[in-house]
Amino acid sequence: MEHTNITSDNLEVQISAQDVYFAYESTDGGEPKEVLHGVSIDIRKGEFVALLGHNGSGKSTMAKHMNAILLPSGGKVLVGGMDTADEELLTEIRRTVGMVFQNPDNQLVATIVEEDVAFGPENLGVPSEEIRVLVDDALKTVGMYEYRRHAPHKLSGGQKQRVAIAGIIAMRPKCIVFDEPTAMLDPRGRQEVMDTIDKLTGELGITVVLITHYMDEAARADRVIIINDGKILTEGTPKEVFSQIDMLRAVHLDVPQPTELAQSLRDMGFSGIPADILTPEECAKAIFAARQQQ
Amino acid sequence: MIADITIGQFMPGKSFIHKLDPRMKIIVMTALIIFVFLAKNMFSMGLMLGFVLVAMLLTRISPVMYFKGLKAIWFLIVFTSVLNMLYLRGDTVLFQWSFFTVTKEGLWQSAFIAMRLVLIIIISSMLTYTTSPTDLTAAIERLLKPLNVVKVPVHELAMMMTIALRFIPTLLEETEKIMNAQKARGADLESGGMMKRAKALIPILIPLFISSFRRAFELATAMDCRCYTGGEGRTRLNVLRYRFRDIFAFVLVAAACGGIIYLNTLAPALVH
Ligand SMILES: Nc1ncnc2c1ncn2[C@@H]1O[C@H](COP(=O)(O)OP(=O)(O)OP(=O)(O)O)[C@@H](O)[C@H]1O
Ligand SMILES: [Mg+2]
């Protein structure tokens, strides 16, 4: 035990994808379609990583490698040191890395919220009294405790998605991979889900991998990774990545609106405005400062 | 909204009967249904009727709801009663017209048989009105567990039932959406003959099927992610436990059944 404490928390790797290749079997009997061409990613403990890329670039495929839903055809994926190809470790890997998908409806199994949240712990064979504690904790974390006796189909999209998140939290995972969790939600539902994710990365110290098409969501991450046609294109802090507007455009990605505005102003000759602006507040301050200078 | 249809017609409540263990409810209600058939004379049927009526009041669900349950098979009851009335013969002729004969004994018997049907409907409604589908599924899974020995996939069947219950409202909602979408494109779903209307359903059923398959795949992946590997080694959040009230209910029903057998001996049987 002494030894494990020596390695710094921040440096310990949670998920390590090493030169991963993957091809889907083609449905019409043709050549298998290679989707990942040698992807290497290290996700560190407690980190909040956003994974971006245009449609069909292989984000979901990569995500499914992180808890052994898919196995690499070349290279390997380690979860907390466990090789995902080892079938013996399957349950352990999946309880370490949970996954939340786009459509909340297709993730909920039970007819009552609390029974759905209990589904994971039940599968793991946790004793009943402990399941009760896990379920109540998870529901409180996502703010759905009052709805524990409700039927899922009567909830809003954001609420359903939070129940789905609770179902994963109840398994006490170290890491959660979110595959476009807000894509089907209205602005309010999106906000609810993003607030929940903030809570997971903040208070609970859970490692989060977030796949999204919303740049403002990605801007909250510690690190942004851009995947393009099955290869890692670039990675860095949100500021580093989003300031490369031309590169983002080239791979058909949006730029956060404040960043775009700041860029346009720079192009118009407001040289005092920095290029690495992310939030509306930063942008407003920079514009204000630039006006005062003139 | 069609999505508002409640499955199994569960009506939440806090009555003695609501609180009974669902397994015990299934056991005693099955026993009662069997004894409805074993009650053969006025005395025993009277006891059964009294017992069921008291239980009905104990559920604190309005008798109107039970009446609604009966409405669905009203026609069946009347139809079989009329047939029985004409078919069953006795000595005391009350009424005769052409080859139709109604006798006093026939009248009594058909009333008796109608009473049986009504009681069965009331007893089974009582079960579904007071037990949530989830509890019902859990109880059935638990009660049928011995069948595992003869390789009946009890857990899988229960899981299928749960998922079906979970997705029926979702799919109904989706059907409504697709119907509206097709109507917006000019589809006419309401007019025309049988054939035309059946054909109009195709553009609704096909998208529904495709989306159901997609849902099924996604759900399967989500279940994998949550470590589902079948029934083995699974525990449950809500463990079913027999309590004192379940024993009490059992004894009460057993006494009523005993009473019915005793009362059967006091007067000649009306039906066989
Ligand atoms: N089950 C499958 N069988 C065959 N090909 C697939 C399958 N799933 C995805 N693909 C293909 O693999 C490629 C990558 O898909 P993937 O779902 O990983 O992309 P993505 O980055 O998640 O896209 P999106 O932003 O649309 O979700 C796509 O070209 C897609 O058509
Ligand atoms: Mg995807």
Side-chain angles (χ1 to χ4, degrees):
Chain A
M1 284 273 87
E2 288 283 302
H3 289 289
T4 51
N5 286 339
I6 294 170
T7 43
S8 158
D9 276 350
N10 292 334
L11 292 175
E12 218 173 319
V13 174
Q14 181 74 71
I15 300 174
S16 170
Q18 301 170 1
D19 201 23
V20 169
Y21 285 81
F22 183 80
Y24 282 106
E25 293 293 331
S26 85
T27 42
D28 49 17
E31 283 284 292
K33 185 179 168 202
E34 192 172 87
V35 174
L36 299 179
H37 322 284
V39 177
S40 299
I41 298 178
D42 275 346
I43 312 279
R44 289 183 282 277
K45 267 192 187 151
E47 209 180 7
F48 177 7
V49 175
L51 196 55
L52 305 180
H54 65 78
N55 291 108
S57 55
K59 305 180 298 291
S60 299
T61 309
M62 192 57 228
K64 286 183 180 142
H65 278 80
M66 295 183 178
N67 68 346
I69 295 293
L70 295 176
L71 297 177
S73 40
K76 63 179 171 181
V77 180
L78 300 178
V79 170
M82 297 178 283
D83 192 333
T84 56
D86 188 346
E87 265 193 50
E88 304 264 291
L89 298 171
L90 199 60
T91 305
E92 199 49 42
I93 287 168
R94 289 190 180 155
R95 76 185 296 180
T96 309
V97 180
M99 199 165 307
V100 175
F101 298 94
Q102 191 178 82
N103 188 340
D105 265 326
N106 301 349
Q107 300 173 67
L108 305 178
V109 258
T111 44
I112 295 174
V113 165
E114 66 173 13
E115 300 217 351
D116 186 84
V117 176
F119 184 71
E122 286 179 341
N123 291 335
L124 294 169
V126 177
S128 302
E129 316 80 64
E130 289 173 39
I131 298 182
R132 171 55 63 192
V133 177
L134 290 172
V135 168
D136 288 355
D137 275 1
L139 283 171
K140 282 174 189 159
T141 303
V142 301
M144 288 297 291
Y145 184 68
E146 311 86 83
Y147 293 89
R148 63 192 178 283
R149 303 290 306 160
H150 282 230
H153 72 268
K154 299 229 167 107
L155 302 176
S156 75
Q159 290 174 325
K160 279 188 233 180
Q161 195 62 294
R162 283 189 285 154
V163 172
I165 297 173
I168 299 298
I169 301 176
M171 298 197 295
R172 293 282 157 94
K174 299 210 171 71
C175 173
I176 303 180
V177 178
F178 290 87
D179 192 349
E180 300 187 38
T182 58
M184 297 185 69
L185 307 181
D186 58 9
R188 185 162 158 204
R190 271 184 65 194
Q191 190 57 46
E192 289 169 6
V193 167
M194 284 316 293
D195 288 347
T196 309
I197 293 179
D198 278 346
K199 200 166 174 186
L200 299 183
T201 57
E203 283 168 43
L204 300 182
I206 294 177
T207 311
V208 168
V209 177
L210 173 68
I211 295 173
T212 182
H213 283 290
Y214 293 108
M215 297 304 140
D216 54 324
E217 291 175 8
R220 302 189 190 197
D222 300 325
R223 186 154 63 106
V224 174
I225 299 177
I226 293 183
I227 189 163
N228 187 44
D229 296 332
K231 285 200 182 104
I232 302 285
L233 185 70
T234 183
E235 61 175 285
T237 62
K239 276 188 192 294
E240 286 163 8
V241 171
F242 289 130
S243 54
Q244 306 170 51
I245 291 178
D246 296 334
M247 180 273 296
L248 291 171
R249 292 253 161 76
V251 295
H252 310 291
L253 284 176
D254 284 337
V255 179
Q257 278 178 351
T259 316
E260 195 168 11
L261 177 59
Q263 177 69 30
S264 311
L265 289 170
R266 280 167 61 84
D267 290 347
M268 285 169 66
F270 291 90
S271 53
I273 294 178
D276 62 349
I277 278 174
L278 280 182
T279 64
E281 290 76 28
E282 275 179 293
C283 189
K285 275 188 195 137
I287 293 172
F288 185 68
R291 288 247 358 214
Q292 283 199 325
Q293 271 177 15
Q294 287 200 341
Chain B
M1 279 272 281
I2 44 179
D4 279 341
I5 300 169
T6 47
I7 302 106
Q9 302 278 300
F10 172 50
M11 282 166 233
K14 291 198 157 48
S15 76
F16 172 76
I17 299 199
H18 278 92
K19 284 189 198 153
L20 285 178
D21 185 293
R23 287 171 300 173
M24 188 50 84
K25 268 191 265 190
I26 294 178
I27 293 170
V28 297
M29 306 252 176
T30 314
L32 283 176
I33 288 177
I34 293 170
F35 274 81
V36 164
F37 284 100
L38 293 181
K40 294 222 190 291
N41 63 29
M42 277 305 154
F43 298 135
S44 48
M45 186 50 98
L47 174 63
M48 179 55 89
L49 184 64
F51 192 83
V52 171
L53 286 181
V54 170
M56 211 174 103
L57 291 179
L58 274 182
T59 60
R60 305 236 189 101
I61 292 170
S62 152
V64 176
M65 291 315 297
Y66 290 97
F67 188 74
K68 274 191 187 153
L70 285 173
K71 228 167 68 179
I73 62 144
W74 200 232
F75 178 75
L76 188 74
I77 295 175
V78 172
F79 186 70
T80 48
S81 303
V82 169
L83 270 188
N84 278 327
M85 210 159 66
L86 297 172
Y87 174 75
L88 298 165
R89 290 292 152 86
D91 304 324
T92 338
V93 175
L94 291 177
F95 173 87
Q96 199 161 21
W97 178 74
S98 139
F99 56 89
F100 296 111
T101 317
V102 176
T103 63
K104 192 176 160 203
E105 289 79 5
L107 202 63
W108 271 112
Q109 285 185 38
S110 62
F112 202 86
I113 292 166
M115 181 57 72
R116 278 181 176 170
L117 279 175
V118 169
L119 280 174
I120 290 167
I121 298 301
I122 292 181
I123 294 169
S124 37
S125 318
M126 209 171 342
L127 179 64
T128 53
Y129 286 177
T130 62
T131 320
S132 74
T134 333
D135 281 349
L136 216 48
T137 319
I140 292 171
E141 179 175 2
R142 195 67 199 72
L143 286 173
L144 295 185
K145 214 170 180 181
L147 290 182
N148 258 334
V149 182
V150 287
K151 299 264 185 294
V152 178
V154 178
H155 166 78
E156 283 71 14
L157 289 173
M159 194 72 210
M160 277 160 61
M161 214 163 121
T162 307
I163 292 175
L165 286 170
R166 155 74 189 81
F167 276 90
I168 286 169
T170 308
L171 292 181
L172 284 174
E173 210 171 283
E174 179 148 39
T175 314
E176 201 166 64
K177 261 189 216 157
I178 297 173
M179 275 164 88
N180 288 338
Q182 300 291 27
K183 275 187 209 158
R185 287 171 176 77
D188 179 8
L189 304 175
E190 267 109 29
S191 68
M194 264 298 236
M195 268 318 270
K196 187 158 175 274
R197 271 196 282 177
K199 265 195 192 145
L201 279 181
I202 294 175
I204 289 161
L205 290 181
I206 290 176
L208 193 63
F209 255 80
I210 293 173
S211 106
S212 303
F213 277 108
R214 206 196 50 234
R215 280 182 195 283
F217 282 121
E218 287 188 24
L219 184 69
T221 309
M223 285 169 75
D224 274 340
C225 288
R226 293 167 77 182
C227 302
Y228 180 70
T229 52
E232 213 148 303
R234 266 194 113 226
T235 47
R236 296 203 65 115
L237 168 65
N238 296 315
V239 187
L240 297 174
R241 206 175 287 126
Y242 290 121
R243 291 169 203 282
F244 177 72
R245 56 171 164 266
D246 297 301
I247 300 166
F248 183 68
F250 184 82
V251 171
L252 225 57
V253 171
C257 294
I260 283 167
I261 291 174
Y262 172 70
L263 291 172
N264 269 343
T265 64
L266 293 188
L270 265 175
V271 286
H272 304 284

